[in-house]
């Protein structure tokens, strides 16, 4: 895999059309002034047209510099739609240039991500005069969420194609999970969990679940925990499934909270124990006994349940195959 410096050298080769374009820093400085003068829309059109010319001239590294600068500047000035459009174009340029996923590029993506606004949606509106304000706040939140979501989904797809992990870079999944949870006007824990289990921060996942447990409706807390555990198992990841349950109990105890007590949680605990002990016959018995609890969540009924235990290794390799979250996650 080529390093970031090798890519930059490759994409900066001299071409006949190179002389028609100035060094990219000249355009970066010029467009910074356009934005500082308050003409974000005009700057946006220039970013798009000039970056396209750099890409056409096979000066991809300079196109990336321009688009990264533009995305960051627009977001800093509160222009979320413009910033996210340039952010997506930045990822498109990575794809067109066949740029490999490496830590340097992921850090640049993270820099853009951190500039997306994080504004809690108001929840204390009580009088009719506030309805319009709440509607506007919800609309703005949905715009912010969709903008960041589109950017990070594109980045994950790029990293899956040009990186080592077929599921996409774990750091990018964690970023998206965090933003979905903190900024969604309408919480979808299935999507949040989908990205956390493909991420690289199990403790943050546990913290998010504990936080969700403190504010969700009755009966949603144990389903959220069960979904998270089963998602790990569906990826053959028994180790993280068990570690997540341990971390959840640890954090709940540290905060002096009550861990959910239900038949569904009992099923999950026994399921983990069964898989760790490789007692396959007990697996089917558990499914029968706890069917009413499993049936509480419609998505769980889509499971095509079967377990593969590879006893040739010291650790049990587990696969529970099912559908729990659509490709739109």
């Amino acid at each position: 895999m080529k390093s970031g410096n090798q890519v930059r050298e490759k994409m900066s080769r001299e071409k006949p059309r190179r002389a028609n374009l100035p060094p990219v820093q000249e355009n970066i400085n010029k467009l910074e002034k356009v934005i500082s003068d308050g003409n974000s829309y005009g700057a946006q059109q220039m970013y798009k047209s000039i970056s396209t010319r750099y890409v056409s001239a096979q000066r991809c590294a300079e196109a990336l510099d321009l688009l990264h600068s533009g995305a960051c500047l627009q977001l800093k000035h509160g222009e979320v739609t413009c910033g996210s459009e340039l952010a997506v174009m930045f990822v498109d340029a990575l794809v067109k240039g066949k740029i490999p996923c490496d830590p340097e590029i992921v850090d640049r993506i993270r820099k853009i991500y951190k500039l997306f606004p994080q504004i809690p949606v108001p929840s204390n509106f009580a009088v009719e005069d506030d309805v319009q304000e709440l509607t506007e706040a919800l609309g703005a939140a949905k715009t912010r969420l969709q903008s960041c979501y589109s950017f990070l989904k594109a980045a994950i797809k790029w990293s899956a194609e040009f990186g080592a992990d077929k599921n996409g870079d774990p750091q990018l999944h964690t970023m998206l999970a965090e933003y979905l949870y903190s900024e969604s006007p309408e919480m979808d824990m299935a999507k949040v969990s989908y990205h956390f289990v493909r991420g690289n921060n199990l403790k943050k996942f546990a913290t998010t679940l504990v936080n969700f447990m403190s504010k969700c409706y009755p009966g949603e807390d144990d389903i959220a925990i069960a979904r998270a555990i089963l998602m790990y198992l569906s990826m053959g990841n028994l180790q993280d499934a068990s570690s997540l349950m341990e971390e959840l109990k640890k954090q709940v105890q540290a905060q002096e909270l009550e861990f959910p007590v239900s038949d569904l949680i009992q099923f999950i605990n026994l399921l983990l124990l069964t898989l760790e002990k490789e007692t396959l016959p007990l697996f089917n018995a558990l499914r029968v006994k706890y069917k009413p609890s499993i049936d509480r969540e419609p998505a769980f009924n889509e499971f095509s349940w079967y377990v593969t235990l590879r006893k040739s290794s010291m650790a049990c390799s587990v696969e529970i195959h099912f559908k729990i979250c659509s490709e739109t996650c």
Side-chain angles (χ1 to χ4, degrees), residues 40-322:
S40 296
Y41 177 79
Q44 186 75 2
Q45 306 314 307
M46 295 172 71
Y47 276 118
K48 292 162 67 176
S49 61
I50 295 173
S51 64
T52 299
R53 292 171 61 194
Y54 279 113
V55 171
S56 297
Q58 296 189 17
R59 292 166 64 176
C60 187
E62 290 171 283
L64 290 171
D65 289 344
L66 183 67
L67 290 168
H68 188 269
S69 173
C72 291
L73 276 173
Q74 292 283 36
L75 289 170
K76 284 179 181 177
H77 283 78
E79 300 291 341
V80 177
T81 302
C82 289
S84 65
E85 183 180 21
L86 295 179
V88 171
M89 290 183 66
F90 175 82
V91 177
D92 287 343
L94 292 173
V95 175
K96 291 176 182 176
K98 298 182 179 179
I99 309 299
C101 178
D102 65 18
E104 178 186 348
I105 300 296
V106 173
D107 283 344
R108 298 182 79 179
I109 292 172
R110 181 183 291 104
K111 183 177 180 180
I112 296 174
Y113 159 70
K114 286 187 174 295
L115 291 172
F116 276 89
Q118 297 194 21
I119 306 171
V121 179
S123 59
N124 58 345
F125 289 89
V127 297
E128 292 183 1
D129 293 341
D130 291 327
V131 172
Q132 182 177 354
E133 186 177 348
L134 176 59
T135 301
E136 292 174 353
L138 290 174
K142 289 180 180 179
T143 297
R144 292 193 302 271
L145 179 67
Q146 187 57 48
S147 297
C148 187
Y149 179 80
S150 298
F151 162 55
L152 289 178
K153 278 291 289 183
I156 289 170
K157 183 178 180 181
W158 156 76
S159 68
E161 183 176 358
F162 296 99
D165 196 319
K166 66 178 182 180
N167 291 315
D169 188 88
Q171 297 177 75
L172 300 179
H173 277 291
T174 298
M175 291 178 210
L176 183 50
E178 290 176 342
Y179 203 82
L180 283 170
Y181 184 74
S182 66
E183 302 303 312
S184 294
E186 301 171 354
M187 183 54 58
D188 186 343
M189 280 304 295
K191 278 190 175 183
V192 173
S193 298
Y194 177 92
H195 292 289
F196 263 126
V197 299
R198 289 161 176 77
N200 62 344
N201 196 332
L202 186 146
K203 286 190 176 183
K204 178 66 176 179
F205 189 12
T207 300
T208 300
L209 285 170
V210 172
N211 180 269
F212 176 74
M213 287 158 52
S214 69
K215 60 185 181 183
C216 66
Y217 290 109
E220 289 185 339
D221 48 2
D222 59 343
I223 288 178
I225 293 172
R227 181 192 297 114
I229 298 300
L230 291 171
M231 280 185 167
Y232 273 125
L233 293 177
S234 74
M235 298 175 68
N237 192 345
L238 175 59
Q239 179 177 347
D240 281 346
S242 299
S243 296
L244 178 65
M245 182 62 85
E246 292 175 5
E247 182 64 27
L248 283 169
K249 293 177 179 178
K250 178 181 175 181
Q251 291 192 22
V252 166
Q253 183 178 16
Q255 298 180 40
E256 298 183 348
L257 302 174
E258 291 186 5
F259 198 85
V261 177
S262 70
D263 287 346
L264 183 58
I265 291 297
Q266 188 174 19
F267 165 70
I268 293 297
N269 281 321
L270 291 173
L271 176 62
L272 289 173
L273 184 61
T274 297
L275 297 177
E276 288 167 358
K277 299 294 184 181
E278 300 185 13
T279 52
L280 183 56
L282 194 56
F283 171 77
N284 292 322
L286 286 174
R287 284 190 54 215
V288 173
K289 179 177 179 179
Y290 289 96
K291 187 177 186 304
S293 297
I294 297 171
D295 288 346
R296 284 176 48 207
E297 171 53 54
F300 294 173
N301 288 321
E302 298 179 7
F303 296 3
S304 175
W305 296 78
Y306 66 88
V307 178
T308 300
L309 299 177
R310 298 174 186 169
K311 297 184 179 181
S312 58
S313 61
M314 294 296 293
C316 172
S317 177
V318 182
E319 296 179 11
I320 298 180
H321 294 264
F322 61 93

Side-chain angles (χ1 to χ4, degrees), residues 28-43:
I28 289 175
N29 295 339
K30 179 176 69 174
L31 292 176
E32 283 181 356
K33 186 176 187 308
V34 175
I35 289 181
S36 64
D37 290 341
N39 188 6
S40 296
Y41 177 79

Side-chain angles (χ1 to χ4, degrees), residues 12-32:
S12 298
R13 291 173 181 170
E14 294 287 343
K15 295 291 175 181
R17 288 172 289 178
R18 186 178 179 87
N20 297 331
L21 290 169
V24 71
Q25 192 59 46
E26 291 185 19
N27 280 315
I28 289 175
N29 295 339
K30 179 176 69 174
L31 292 176
E32 283 181 356

